[in-house]
Amino acid sequence: MTGTPSWFVSALCRGSDTNYFFPEVGVSMKHTANIRKICNQCPVKEECLELGLESHNDEHGFFGGKSPRERQAINAERKRAARHAIRQARRVHDHEPAQALDMDRQTETGVA
């Protein structure tokens, strides 16, 4: 993605010092709490979080009120869920021909 997203005009952090939302490692809990407070009130919090997740910027800054570690966990969970969905789809797909054949037989014989 290049440029500034259109939703950014509504972001509460717009015009703020970028360094505030991309603090050094080991920043105080009070600073982190202040960032989260701003983000939790922001009308584009979800869009911001998605930007952070999609960009795989898991090392620095807060996006949508989530720290790098929290975004790493969300991305990991999404990958697990996607793998699970693929496995489930394969299982269903592998069984569909047999089920369809059984339904055809039931229709032909009139036995349910």
Side-chain angles (χ1 to χ4, degrees):
M1 177 177 183
T2 59
T4 304
S6 60
W7 53 260
F8 189 67
V9 298
S10 300
L12 292 181
C13 62
R14 183 173 162 240
S16 299
D17 179 6
T18 306
N19 292 326
Y20 188 80
F21 292 89
F22 288 81
E24 295 294 322
V25 175
V27 69
S28 73
M29 292 187 70
K30 183 177 180 181
H31 186 106
T32 300
N34 286 336
I35 291 172
R36 291 182 195 280
K37 183 176 180 179
I38 293 167
C39 293
N40 286 335
Q41 296 171 358
C42 186
V44 293
K45 175 183 172 184
E46 297 300 320
E47 292 88 340
C48 182
L49 176 58
E50 284 303 317
L51 175 66
L53 293 169
E54 291 170 7
S55 69
H56 298 283
N57 183 353
D58 293 338
E59 296 179 20
H60 304 291
F62 283 75
F63 287 85
K66 301 295 184 190
S67 69
R69 188 170 289 152
E70 291 167 319
R71 292 193 310 279
Q72 289 170 359
I74 292 168
N75 274 330
E77 179 55 35
R78 285 182 175 186
K79 286 177 185 176
R80 277 191 296 276
R83 285 192 305 267
H84 178 73
I86 290 169
R87 283 193 302 271
Q88 289 297 99
R90 285 182 181 152
R91 286 184 192 130
V92 168
H93 178 72
D94 290 346
H95 288 60
E96 280 180 356
Q99 290 173 347
L101 185 58
D102 288 344
M103 291 178 74
D104 287 344
R105 287 184 187 140
Q106 290 173 2
T107 303
E108 290 173 3
T109 61
V111 178

